[in-house]
């Protein structure tokens, strides 16, 4: 155990945030899955607690082993990951498992495990964009040599994710645009791409409406209609229950395990886990979780500024940005600031593949942090040796 802790490197604050969010996840999931356990598991409430504990332990192991890998290796696998993501997303659209009226999952045979291919694609595209930004800094302002080779792969992945998961596609596109802005791509190119993206979304709605094949677009339109016209539209059931949960939480909440709306709130353990947390731990608990994600972002910005190599800097910042944007979106949906989406709270919501890929992203961030830490250590040692040599030379001169 001592050797394990000794070999754990990287930003200690980020490690602390991961442990904090994991503990919050165990408490919140155990509380929020009570009704689900009675419906699905005959009242065995410990089942989902043990399941989440297993997933989180797997996640921590993934973080540990991923952070021990030199982050430059991720640059080599970035292109392979991007190429693999395309057929995976196509297969998911055509043959994926339909859960909650959306084809987002692939079910693995034998082990009967489902995972979202969009999680694979998100991780792959951020590594790919980081790699391309670092390689093309000398031509980054050139449309053909700098911008298009970076943005076209982003567009392909977003278009393939969009039919089944509009919110994830939009968040992924926005995160990539932000990373490209940080990577010094001209604003005029990014503005043009955002306009094209908005046009594509609008065209998708129009085509679906005219053809009568509305599918998921009907759900999206209802959510947008309610959000933009709350006074004249019926409030969705999950929004009503989330509002009741938040109103009942107060400043300090009802206490762990004392939520009442968990019995009425759909997906209280995943999409709406933040509302459950507010009811049990109040605004104070909700603020602590928000600050944890903000601190994660600040620490990753620190890594970005200290990393001397462009790929590592873009990788750490890009992965942290997408995690924090996802977290803020989930919180905003829970408190009624954003329209309803299917976005989970990273490292907190109950899940399998989402926790695994979030853990891998954090592990990669810590790999960059470990490299920065080691370089700073070597620099400090060199400075110490230089001072020792200088002192010895001074002593010899006086002698």
């Amino acid at each position: 155990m001592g050797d394990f802790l000794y070999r754990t490197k990287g930003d200690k604050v980020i490690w602390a945030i991961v442990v904090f969010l994991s503990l919050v996840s165990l408490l919140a999931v155990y509380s929020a899955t009570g009704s689900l356990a009675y419906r699905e598991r005959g009242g065995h409430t410990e089942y989902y607690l043990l399941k989440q504990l297993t997933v989180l332990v797997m996640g921590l192991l993934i973080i540990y082993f991923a952070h021990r890998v030199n982050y430059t290796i991720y640059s080599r696998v970035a292109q392979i990951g991007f190429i693999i993501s395309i057929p995976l997303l196509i297969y998911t659209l055509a043959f994926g498992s339909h859960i909650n009226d959306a084809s987002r999952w692939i079910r693995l045979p034998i082990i009967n495990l489902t995972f979202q291919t969009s999680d694979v694609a998100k991780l792959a595209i951020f590594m790919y964009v980081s790699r391309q930004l670092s390689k093309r800094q000398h031509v980054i302002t050139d449309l053909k040599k700098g911008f298009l080779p970076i943005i076209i792969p982003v567009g392909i992945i977003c278009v393939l994710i969009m039919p089944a998961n509009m919110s994830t596609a939009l968040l992924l596109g926005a995160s990539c645009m932000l990373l490209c802005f940080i990577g010094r791509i001209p604003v005029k190119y990014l503005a043009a791409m955002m306009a094209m993206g908005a046009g594509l979304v609008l065209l998708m709605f129009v085509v679906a409406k005219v053809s009568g094949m509305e599918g998921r677009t009907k759900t999206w339109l209802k959510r947008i209609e309610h959000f933009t016209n709350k006074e004249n539209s019926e409030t969705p059931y999950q929004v009503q229950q989330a509002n009741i949960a938040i109103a009942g939480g107060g400043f300090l909440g009802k206490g762990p395990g004392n939520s009442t709306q968990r019995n009425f709130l759909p997906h209280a353990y995943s999409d709406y886990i933040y509302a459950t947390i507010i009811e049990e731990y109040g605004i104070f608990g909700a603020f602590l979780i928000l600050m944890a994600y903000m601190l994660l972002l600040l620490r990753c910005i620190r890594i970005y500024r200290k990393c001397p190599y462009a790929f590592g800097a873009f990788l750490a910042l890009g992965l942290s940005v997408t995690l924090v944007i996802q977290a803020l979106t989930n919180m905003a949906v829970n408190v009624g600031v954003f329209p309803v989406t299917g976005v989970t709270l990273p490292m907190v919501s109950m899940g399998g593949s989402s926790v695994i890929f979030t853990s891998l992203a954090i592990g990669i961030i810590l790999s960059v942090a470990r490299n920065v830490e080691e370089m700073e250590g070597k620099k400090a040692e060199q400075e110490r040796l230089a001072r020792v040599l200088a002192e010895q030379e001074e002593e010899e001169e006086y002698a």
Side-chain angles (χ1 to χ4, degrees), residues 13 21 24 32 42 49 51 90 97 186 192 201-202 215 225 227 236 260 266 269 285 287 306 309 323 339 357 368:
V13 176
L21 292 177
V24 170
L49 173 65
K51 181 180 178 181
I90 294 173
S97 299
V201 172
L202 183 61
E225 180 184 355
F227 185 75
T260 54
Y269 44 83
F287 178 76
K306 288 194 170 188
Y309 304 109
L323 289 177
F357 286 104
V368 179

Side-chain angles (χ1 to χ4, degrees), residues 25-85:
S25 177
L26 286 176
L27 291 171
V29 168
Y30 182 55
S31 175
T33 52
S35 297
L36 182 66
Y38 277 99
R39 290 198 309 268
E40 303 290 338
R41 297 291 164 181
H44 295 290
T45 55
E46 295 81 11
Y47 173 82
Y48 291 105
L49 173 65
L50 294 174
K51 181 180 178 181
Q52 185 69 0
L53 177 61
T54 303
V55 171
L56 289 171
V57 169
M58 286 177 58
L60 288 172
L61 289 174
I62 288 171
I63 293 173
Y64 175 76
F65 289 112
H67 105 287
R68 296 294 305 174
V69 176
N70 192 312
Y71 74 87
T72 55
I73 293 176
Y74 297 117
S75 175
R76 300 171 195 169
V77 302
Q79 194 159 352
I80 299 172
F82 165 67
I83 293 171
I84 292 174
S85 298

Side-chain angles (χ1 to χ4, degrees), residues 34-314:
S35 297
L36 182 66
Y38 277 99
R39 290 198 309 268
E40 303 290 338
R41 297 291 164 181
H44 295 290
T45 55
E46 295 81 11
Y47 173 82
Y48 291 105
L49 173 65
L50 294 174
K51 181 180 178 181
Q52 185 69 0
L53 177 61
T54 303
V55 171
L56 289 171
V57 169
M58 286 177 58
L60 288 172
L61 289 174
I62 288 171
I63 293 173
Y64 175 76
F65 289 112
H67 105 287
R68 296 294 305 174
V69 176
N70 192 312
Y71 74 87
T72 55
I73 293 176
Y74 297 117
S75 175
R76 300 171 195 169
V77 302
Q79 194 159 352
I80 299 172
F82 165 67
I83 293 171
I84 292 174
S85 298
I86 295 174
L88 272 178
L89 290 172
I90 294 173
Y91 178 85
T92 304
L93 287 175
F95 307 106
S97 299
H98 286 262
I99 302 175
N100 297 331
D101 299 323
S103 180
R104 304 175 184 175
W105 288 263
I106 286 181
R107 187 176 298 277
L108 299 177
I110 302 176
I111 59 175
N112 198 32
L113 177 69
T114 59
F115 74 97
Q116 287 196 56
T117 49
S118 60
D119 289 329
V120 181
K122 284 194 297 184
L123 192 58
I125 196 63
F126 271 104
M127 289 194 293
Y128 182 83
V129 170
S130 299
R131 172 186 169 90
Q132 293 300 318
L133 281 172
S134 63
K135 288 178 63 178
R136 299 177 186 275
Q137 281 298 300
H138 61 290
V139 291
I140 202 67
T141 57
D142 187 276
L143 178 63
K144 292 183 179 179
K145 295 180 180 179
F147 180 63
L148 292 180
I150 296 173
I151 210 63
I152 288 175
V154 174
I156 292 171
I157 294 297
C158 289
V159 166
L160 290 175
I161 293 175
M162 190 178 295
N165 199 341
M166 170 82 73
S167 55
T168 296
L170 292 177
L171 290 176
L172 178 60
S175 300
C176 288
M177 290 293 103
L178 181 58
L179 183 57
C180 289
F181 174 74
I182 295 169
R184 299 193 309 113
I185 285 181
V187 175
K188 60 181 179 181
Y189 296 157
L190 297 177
M193 183 53 60
M194 291 174 65
M196 289 178 61
L200 179 63
V201 172
L202 183 61
L203 179 63
M204 183 177 172
F205 279 117
V206 171
V207 170
K209 191 74 174 178
V210 172
S211 63
M213 300 174 62
E214 294 180 82
R216 290 287 296 172
T217 58
K218 189 174 182 180
T219 304
W220 300 331
L221 286 171
K222 283 184 178 180
R223 290 173 176 177
I224 294 171
E225 180 184 355
H226 159 69
F227 185 75
T228 56
N229 190 20
K230 293 182 179 180
E231 294 181 359
N232 299 321
S233 61
E234 184 180 353
T235 304
Y237 177 76
Q238 63 265 45
V239 176
Q240 293 177 3
Q241 300 306 316
N243 291 340
I244 295 172
I246 292 168
F251 183 73
L252 295 176
K254 298 179 177 178
N258 291 327
S259 169
T260 54
Q261 294 311 115
R262 64 187 175 185
N263 299 317
F264 307 99
L265 189 59
H267 307 292
Y269 44 83
S270 56
D271 296 359
Y272 278 90
I273 197 166
Y274 194 61
T276 306
I277 290 171
I278 294 175
E279 185 179 11
E280 293 189 349
Y281 300 94
I283 296 174
F284 178 74
F287 178 76
L288 287 180
I289 294 174
L290 174 61
M291 287 300 100
Y293 287 108
M294 291 295 98
L295 185 56
L296 172 64
L297 181 60
L298 288 174
R299 299 302 293 185
C300 290
I301 291 173
R302 179 176 176 270
I303 296 169
Y304 166 79
R305 295 179 64 182
K306 288 194 170 188
C307 186
Y309 304 109
F311 173 70
F314 288 134

